[in-house]
Amino acid sequence: MSEIQVRLPDGKTLTLAKGSSLLTVAEQIGPGLARAAIAGRVDGELRDLRAPIDADAAIEIVTRKDPAAGEVIRHSAEHVMADAVKRLFPTAQVDVGRTDHAEKFQYDFLVERPFTPEDLERIEKEMGKIISEKSLFERQEVSRSEALAFFQEKGEELKVSRLGDIPEGETVTLFRHGDFVDLCRGPHVQRTDQIGAFKLLEVAGSYWRGDETNPMLQRIYGTAFVDKKELAAHLERAEEAKRRDHRRIGPHLDLFHLDAISPGSPYWHPPGMVLYNELVDYIRTLYLDYGFDEVMTPQVFNTDLYKTSGHYENFKEDMFLFADDENELAIKPMNCPGHAELFKMRRRSYRELPIRFAEFSRLHRNERSGSLSGLTRVRSFAQDDAHIFCSEDQVEQELSRFFRMMREVYDALGLKDVKIAVSTRGEKFIGRVEDWDLAEKRLVEACRDAGFEPTIKPGDAAFYAPKVEADFTDVIGRVWTLGTVQIDMGMPERFDLSFISAEDREVRPQMIHRAVLGSLERFIAIYLEHTEGNFPLWLAPQQVVVLPITERHSEYAGKVVGALRAARVRAELDDRNEKLGFKIREAELRKVPVMAVVGDQEQTDATVAPRRHRSQEKPAGSLPIDEFVAGLVDEIARRRG
């Protein structure tokens, strides 16, 4: 039997029989570690303890103290939940769980009636019993035909269908604990009693495979952690996230609303359009500083364009397609192919480079109804999108310009906690491997030149280019990707792009994809939740509300509003016949950044008494109108978050 060498974190090596498991490694290190082990890593990849090791590798054993332990625990709790449902509802069919166990777990079930809150309590109680049984999780590799026969015998029709999703040639694995068996890759804990603290969160309807023409399934969400303390902290964060949900705050502030009459496409209200346009206008002002030319490409293209770019092959299912009398057409889902075509429309000289096309036009993607989520996942959106065509020796400076622009925008928005990552080539890609390797190297170097040490996200790149991602951590610890920049050497070749060099030769340009905010809809959702709707003055839809103390001050208050509006400050008058305290509370609830109170003294002295939203300080004294307006105009012009 052949042997393999495994290297431990302390540098020691062990010699094992090929096909030994991570659990074997833990047992050789010590019985205490073997009992505590939850999962392991093979060359940095999280693996199930029972999975075979077939080649020399670096090995780590994951215990409760490891940050990855929570993901494995939640994945295992997912199976325990499905087991509990099957015990309580024997006719239930089990569909699939969740691929991302960073915070929660879920399973979809086909049942005779919807689950009730009382059902969730029963399921949770049954899960506790299963965990106390301390059943071992067992991993079993089976043939496709064996798996098919097993689930057919169990009457699990949904699982039989899911078996067909596994690519030919890929290993089929089952995981068992007690009498429950499911189709799964793992990893899972050793024993059910390692799951720790858990809680079921809610139940929701979900169409099978996200298609509204399919049956409605019942999806149960839950979460689990190593102990009750971590669970309590998570639930507290979840409550805060619910309180900050943009789908609640947006309508409250009259920014937008969502309606089933147009799924995945929000209605933007007048204040929401002010916010939206302020973001667009701000980015447009930077185009002058950073050398971008705005363009607008068609909304509908012949699908030949996307066949050339590679999107038709790799992205077709997410496109809105239709046909006229002669052609198959697509509503534009992204700008890059149109910009490549625009570059190609005439002969280009090296003297023109770099050429920077920017576009804000509407994009449409056929997101499945089950994946739509407020503004974070929509079917109609716009991006602060741009594509740069340059020579190879200009790439470095263009990447540097991206980081400068990114910092300027994020400072204006008050986004401080930003980290940088580089996503590298996955299994599906277009172009040459050597071009990808070079592009990835240049992106990493550009990050370091900009003062960032990037983390690497192996295999996470889109099919056409490696990507730098600006990952922002919001006030409750959630990480969102905002800005991105990519070096794409595949699309220029597929479109046969070229420019004439100084030596009068045709040369292939480099193509850089760039966005700082990304999707405006998604960014607004993230920003709403991060700020809770407390926008910086320059961005607030309504910047000032003028509050007359009594009706006799309304005429003077109107003059103050006029002075503000003449200076392009967004101001309104609240002259309702209400007490001042009531009007201040209303303005606070609407999160208006500045309130200007006017009474007898202000009217006599031609002043205002300003108050700031959420200010804990006692309001300062009155200011002359001109000074008040000038201060606001200056603050707005400086754009600080």
Side-chain angles (χ1 to χ4, degrees), residues 409-422:
V409 172
Y410 294 172
D411 283 349
L413 292 162
L415 305 178
K416 305 298 184 187
D417 193 2
V418 177
K419 294 181 172 60
I420 299 297
V422 174

Side-chain angles (χ1 to χ4, degrees), residues 4 6 16-28 42 48-54 59 61:
I4 57 172
V6 298
L16 302 171
K18 183 179 180 181
S20 296
S21 69
L22 283 161
L23 189 55
T24 303
V25 175
E27 289 167 346
Q28 289 210 13
V42 178
D48 189 85
L49 284 169
R50 291 140 294 233
I53 310 168
D54 295 323
I59 299 297
I61 302 300

Side-chain angles (χ1 to χ4, degrees), residues 602-621:
E602 288 75 24
Q603 185 166 294
T604 300
D605 298 341
T607 60
V608 299
R611 299 175 59 104
R612 288 281 177 158
H613 171 53
R614 297 196 305 171
S615 176
Q616 301 300 314
E617 300 176 4
K618 185 178 179 180

Side-chain angles (χ1 to χ4, degrees), residues 78 81-82 85 92-100 104-117 119-120 123 158 162 199-212 214-223 247 368-373 377:
E78 195 170 69
M81 178 182 72
V85 169
Q93 286 200 44
V94 182
D95 190 27
V96 290
R98 191 177 179 89
T99 56
D100 176 10
K104 62 178 70 172
F105 61 79
Q106 70 187 52
Y107 249 114
D108 290 353
F109 303 95
L110 181 61
V111 286
E112 295 173 357
R113 63 166 176 80
F115 290 126
T116 65
D119 291 332
L120 288 193
I123 294 166
L158 303 185
R162 294 293 185 178
K199 182 173 181 58
L200 298 186
L201 303 173
E202 61 178 327
V203 62
S206 173
Y207 290 110
W208 187 48
R209 294 185 178 274
D211 186 339
E212 53 267 34
N214 284 335
M216 174 72 79
L217 307 184
Q218 290 288 290
R219 174 174 294 172
I220 299 177
Y221 292 97
T223 192
R247 291 166 293 190
R368 297 296 175 265
S369 60
S371 68
L372 298 175
S373 179
R377 184 65 70 90

Side-chain angles (χ1 to χ4, degrees), residues 208-246:
W208 187 48
R209 294 185 178 274
D211 186 339
E212 53 267 34
T213 63
N214 284 335
M216 174 72 79
L217 307 184
Q218 290 288 290
R219 174 174 294 172
I220 299 177
Y221 292 97
T223 192
F225 289 85
V226 297
D227 56 34
K228 291 181 179 179
K229 182 179 178 181
E230 284 197 13
L231 175 62
H234 170 79
L235 294 176
E236 186 177 334
R237 288 193 302 271
E239 279 302 309
E240 179 68 5
K242 190 180 297 184
R243 192 172 67 82
R244 291 172 175 268
D245 192 328
H246 71 279

Side-chain angles (χ1 to χ4, degrees), residues 207-386:
Y207 290 110
W208 187 48
R209 294 185 178 274
D211 186 339
E212 53 267 34
T213 63
N214 284 335
M216 174 72 79
L217 307 184
Q218 290 288 290
R219 174 174 294 172
I220 299 177
Y221 292 97
T223 192
F225 289 85
V226 297
D227 56 34
K228 291 181 179 179
K229 182 179 178 181
E230 284 197 13
L231 175 62
H234 170 79
L235 294 176
E236 186 177 334
R237 288 193 302 271
E239 279 302 309
E240 179 68 5
K242 190 180 297 184
R243 192 172 67 82
R244 291 172 175 268
D245 192 328
H246 71 279
R247 291 166 293 190
R248 183 186 70 83
I249 296 175
H252 170 71
L253 296 181
D254 196 29
L255 301 177
F256 65 86
H257 80 274
L258 301 157
D259 194 301
I261 199 69
S262 183
S265 299
Y267 285 80
W268 289 98
H269 301 189
M273 281 310 300
V274 172
L275 172 68
Y276 202 101
N277 287 332
E278 277 294 324
L279 286 170
V280 172
D281 291 345
Y282 172 49
I283 298 297
R284 279 184 168 136
T285 64
L286 296 179
Y287 287 166
L288 295 173
D289 299 332
Y290 289 90
F292 287 92
D293 292 310
E294 194 167 353
V295 299
M296 184 175 291
T297 55
Q299 280 287 297
V300 175
F301 283 99
N302 188 303
T303 53
D304 287 347
L305 179 79
Y306 301 108
K307 291 173 183 175
T308 300
S309 69
H311 287 95
Y312 192 85
E313 177 185 354
N314 293 279
F315 202 76
K316 179 182 177 183
E317 297 304 314
D318 296 310
M319 297 167 69
F320 285 107
L321 303 174
F322 65 100
D324 63 9
D325 293 338
E326 300 177 357
N327 304 295
E328 183 182 38
L329 304 172
I331 301 175
K332 181 170 60 175
M334 70 285 296
N335 289 315
C336 41
H339 289 185
E341 192 70 17
L342 187 58
F343 179 90
K344 189 180 179 180
M345 283 183 176
R346 66 175 176 82
R347 191 177 175 89
R348 303 285 182 177
S349 164
Y350 74 96
R351 297 180 186 276
E352 299 176 70
L353 303 186
I355 291 173
R356 307 181 187 98
F357 292 144
E359 183 164 5
F360 277 109
S361 66
R362 303 305 300 173
L363 303 174
H364 294 82
R365 296 184 183 176
N366 187 19
E367 302 284 359
R368 297 296 175 265
S369 60
S371 68
L372 298 175
S373 179
L375 300 183
T376 58
R377 184 65 70 90
V378 291
R379 288 175 172 154
S380 174
F381 61 99
Q383 295 176 313
D384 66 321
D385 203 11

